[in-house]
Amino acid sequence: MDSQSGTSATTIKAGDTVQWNFVDSMPHSTTSGNCCTSNGIWDSGIKSSGIFSHKFSSAGTFPYFCTVHGALMTGTVTVNP
């Protein structure tokens, strides 16, 4: 889940950073790409606690998913210019 919006869909401006907080002690990841194939832009690795951040330098729509939960946990970051 994205900590800036509290939902799986977030809209930001180019140059902003999104931070995911892993707080429920269950393993999750935030991995860029359509479920369930990473596109290599970012990958938090599997975490059960801690924080992962990614800075979005350019505009676009960036899907992501949890490698542990697959299609049950997906989201999108929309980056406006």
Side-chain angles (χ1 to χ4, degrees), residues 61-81:
T61 301
F62 301 90
Y64 65 93
F65 64 97
C66 174
T67 58
V68 176
H69 296 97
L72 296 175
M73 296 187 107
T74 63
T76 304
V77 178
T78 301
V79 182
N80 294 324

Side-chain angles (χ1 to χ4, degrees), residues 43-74:
D43 186 358
S44 66
I46 297 172
K47 297 179 171 286
S48 56
S49 64
I51 295 171
F52 176 79
S53 299
H54 180 77
K55 182 175 182 175
F56 291 83
S57 299
S58 59
T61 301
F62 301 90
Y64 65 93
F65 64 97
C66 174
T67 58
V68 176
H69 296 97
L72 296 175
M73 296 187 107
T74 63

Side-chain angles (χ1 to χ4, degrees), residues 15-67:
D16 286 350
T17 298
V18 174
Q19 183 178 73
W20 287 265
N21 294 315
F22 297 88
V23 297
D24 66 4
S25 74
M26 292 187 61
H28 296 285
S29 80
T30 174
T31 304
S32 62
N34 289 306
C35 186
C36 290
T37 304
S38 173
N39 63 13
I41 297 173
W42 77 84
D43 186 358
S44 66
I46 297 172
K47 297 179 171 286
S48 56
S49 64
I51 295 171
F52 176 79
S53 299
H54 180 77
K55 182 175 182 175
F56 291 83
S57 299
S58 59
T61 301
F62 301 90
Y64 65 93
F65 64 97
C66 174
T67 58

